[in-house]
Amino acid sequence: MGTITWDTNAVNDLALDFRGDLVHPGDASYDELRRVWNGSIDRRPGLIARCTGVADIRSALAFARRTGGPVAVRGGGHSFPGHSTCDGGVLLDLALLKGIRVDPVRRTARAQAGVLLGELDRETQAFGLATPSGIVTHTGLAGLTLGGGIGWLMRKYGLSIDNLISVDVVTAEGELVTASEDANADLFWGIRGGGGNFGIVTEFEFRLHPVGPIVYARPVMWPMERSAELLRFYRDWITDIPDELTTAVIHRWIPALPTIPTEFHGRPVVVIVACYAGAVEDGEQVIAPLKAFAPPLLDLCLPKPFVAHQAMFDPSFPHGWWYYMRACDVAELSDEVVDIAAARGLAINSPLTSYPIFHLGGAISRVPADSTAFGDRSSGHTFNFVGATTGPDGFPAEREWVRDSWRAIEPHQSGAYVNFLTDEGEDRIRSAYGASTYDKLQDLKRKYDPDNLFHLNQNIPPH
Ligand SMILES: Cc1cc2nc3c(=O)[nH]c(=O)nc-3n(C[C@H](O)[C@H](O)[C@H](O)COP(=O)(O)OP(=O)(O)OC[C@H]3O[C@@H](n4cnc5c(N)ncnc54)[C@H](O)[C@@H]3O)c2cc1C
């Protein structure tokens, strides 16, 4: 991408009207700030506007409209396909918006758009409270919530969006509006699943629930060759577990972490990670039959601080590695799905590549389908094939493992979660939402962003 030449007057006007930093190509911090979590994405925005509040967001948006460049919006920077950066346009970096306020009496929390999952947990857990979010603490709260938000509390308390009370949004026209069940209810519906299509959310208000601070959680591991047998046991066992328990089955090689004895490092395993969002003694009882399936190779499922459990996967997905991901939902773990799952595990040929299968259902499936813009709430499981390397070396082979895995499971897919899509085209986005939700989202887009200013996302073009 060549050097961008902005209209000098527009740049000068913005500089006078902006409190945060404006970072241009060539500035000392530019290369650091243009990076996103996925190291395989290498883009060069024409300007990085590090916003300090709503006023800066409005000024940067006005600049983007005036100069006509593309607009990228960044929360935590964890979009797999790199939607929170761009070549040549304006990047609104919201990372400085870190305000969090917990009201322990009303059991609510307000969090600004630059907050990461671990930062919110830290504040809410100070009062023994939490709201459902994701499984890696350095993920951005904003992008995760706007797509739905699945994680360890979801079967008990629903998706992140099911716990949203209100949002403050700067629209494409630069207007600040609040959206909730009572105000701009159409926007509130669309924000809950429709991603960043309708405006820039500056602040979220969530409901909180008593969680931990100690929970019965973490992984139990068996040798990978027992995968098919374990998955058959697991699918029967989960038909009868309480909503407090959320689990994921993970195929991978044991990572070389200091918390794991070295003799286990690199062993291919099938892992069930559990989190019981209730009393520790109850969790121990509920999980006991799983541990009795067969003597585990390694059993790390014990009482643990909830915040430690939330951070468990952080070292497996560090910033800067190269990642490629494909994902889809399945209705159930049929015999065919189990056999594919086991075969794809055995085909892993890298210590960094892995895939979780999250168990959905519970509270997620009890929220009426049309009350939010989230896609299919009836799916039983979501597959998430993640190929990873530390840099370009070996990346094509891991990407091929992901593609082969996805092709194998595709005939059994029942839907997809938008936050797990890569750049897969409009038909795939439409099918992730379902036709009627997608139509309604297109109408809403016409109302709030008719020019598709916010198109660097899982885009819903206006009708
Ligand atoms: C390591 C890792 C673990 C993950 N784990 C989970 C998980 O457990 N559960 C889950 O549900 N998802 C998970 N995801 C997927 C995650 O939800 C998405 O990648 C999400 O987009 C990340 O949000 P972000 O703010 O970090 O991303 P960003 O890349 O900053 O943004 C993603 C998209 O949201 C838009 N956006 C960001 N902030 C705003 C805002 N304030 N207003 C409007 N639009 C905005 C961006 O423009 C972009 O289109 C994970 C992703 C990664 C990389």
Side-chain angles (χ1 to χ4, degrees):
M1 186 80 202
T3 313
I4 280 279
T5 316
W6 296 112
D7 168 349
T8 315
N9 290 334
V11 174
N12 291 342
D13 289 350
L14 178 64
L16 286 173
D17 191 35
F18 201 81
R19 189 159 69 94
D21 288 335
L22 294 172
V23 181
H24 297 265
D27 288 352
S29 57
Y30 177 79
D31 274 328
E32 181 61 35
L33 290 173
R34 76 182 177 86
R35 274 195 209 123
V36 287
W37 166 82
N38 186 348
S40 75
I41 309 289
D42 181 23
R43 299 195 186 124
R44 306 185 69 82
L47 175 67
I48 303 175
R50 305 208 77 206
C51 303
T52 58
V54 170
D56 278 356
I57 292 174
R58 294 176 65 173
S59 301
L61 266 188
F63 172 84
R65 277 197 307 270
R66 182 171 164 187
T67 53
V71 178
V73 180
R74 182 185 302 167
H78 277 45
S79 153
F80 282 96
H83 287 155
S84 49
T85 184
C86 54
D87 273 325
V90 184
L91 165 58
L92 275 76
D93 179 358
L94 309 180
L96 300 176
L97 301 179
K98 289 288 191 197
I100 299 174
R101 185 177 189 279
V102 175
D103 182 335
V105 177
R106 285 179 60 231
R107 291 190 175 163
T108 60
R110 297 190 70 89
Q112 288 187 309
V115 167
L116 307 180
L117 305 187
E119 294 163 346
L120 182 59
D121 283 339
R122 159 103 180 118
E123 294 301 320
T124 57
Q125 279 287 279
F127 304 97
L129 300 170
T131 202
S133 67
I135 68 161
V136 172
T137 66
H138 49 70
T139 312
L141 181 69
L144 176 128
T145 301
L146 294 172
I150 68 168
W152 295 119
L153 303 178
M154 64 183 162
R155 286 177 34 82
K156 174 71 177 163
Y157 297 118
L159 303 167
S160 301
I161 50 170
D162 299 335
N163 293 278
L164 256 191
I165 301 170
S166 71
V167 281
D168 288 348
V169 187
V170 174
T171 65
E173 287 301 315
E175 200 188 337
L176 176 68
V177 298
T178 294
S180 68
E181 293 287 2
D182 305 319
N184 299 301
D186 58 349
L187 181 60
F188 191 53
W189 172 85
I191 287 282
R192 288 176 293 163
N197 273 284
F198 307 104
I200 301 181
V201 176
T202 60
E203 195 162 316
F204 298 82
E205 183 186 12
F206 290 100
R207 248 183 307 280
L208 304 176
H209 308 276
V211 174
I214 302 295
V215 290
Y216 198 77
R218 303 204 120 196
V220 191
M221 310 182 194
W222 290 268
M224 181 90 85
E225 41 306 346
R226 300 208 68 169
S227 165
E229 198 190 338
L230 176 66
L231 280 165
R232 285 188 169 85
F233 167 85
Y234 171 81
R235 75 175 170 203
D236 296 336
W237 175 63
I238 56 173
T239 55
D240 209 19
I241 54 166
D243 289 351
E244 278 77 6
L245 184 64
T246 297
T247 55
V249 183
I250 294 156
H251 291 76
R252 65 168 307 156
W253 297 3
I254 297 183
L257 295 176
T259 47
I260 298 178
T262 44
E263 67 264 31
F264 293 107
H265 294 178
R267 297 271 297 265
V269 277
V270 53
V271 184
I272 295 188
V273 183
C275 178
Y276 190 83
V280 165
E281 314 76 65
D282 296 347
E284 191 171 4
Q285 253 183 34
V286 168
I287 294 167
L290 172 70
K291 295 189 179 187
F293 154 74
L297 180 68
L298 203 54
D299 177 4
L300 303 175
C301 188
L302 300 161
K304 276 276 164 191
F306 177 66
V307 287
H309 178 64
Q310 287 282 82
M312 178 188 145
F313 283 110
D314 288 8
S316 298
F317 301 100
H319 292 79
W321 283 6
W322 285 38
Y323 298 95
Y324 182 77
M325 212 254 304
R326 294 295 306 267
C328 70
D329 296 351
V330 298
E332 56 176 16
L333 297 175
S334 63
D335 280 342
E336 294 94 324
V337 169
V338 163
D339 290 343
I340 294 164
R344 294 320 301 165
L346 288 167
I348 292 175
N349 195 23
S350 150
L352 309 184
T353 285
S354 63
Y355 78 96
I357 312 168
F358 295 95
H359 179 210
L360 305 171
I364 300 172
S365 57
R366 287 193 293 273
V367 173
D370 58 359
S371 67
T372 68
F374 190 76
D376 183 12
R377 285 179 177 271
S378 68
S379 286
H381 305 265
T382 190
F383 276 70
N384 192 338
F385 299 106
V386 187
T389 50
T390 56
D393 285 353
F395 189 63
E398 298 316 304
R399 192 174 49 202
E400 222 28 59
W401 172 86
V402 172
R403 287 178 174 155
D404 287 346
S405 302
W406 192 82
R407 274 193 290 268
I409 206 77
E410 188 193 359
H412 303 277
Q413 70 168 311
S414 63
Y417 168 36
V418 281
N419 270 353
F420 288 168
L421 295 183
T422 185
D423 278 327
E424 298 172 46
E426 190 182 346
D427 285 349
R428 181 98 172 116
I429 299 171
R430 180 194 295 272
S431 80
Y433 284 112
S436 69
T437 299
Y438 189 77
D439 271 4
K440 211 170 143 189
L441 284 167
Q442 284 195 295
D443 284 342
L444 197 67
K445 182 76 170 175
R446 190 178 52 200
K447 177 172 171 188
Y448 284 97
D449 183 18
D451 299 328
N452 208 359
L453 181 68
F454 303 117
H455 65 273
L456 295 176
N457 41 40
Q458 296 299 344
N459 194 230
I460 299 161
H463 254 152

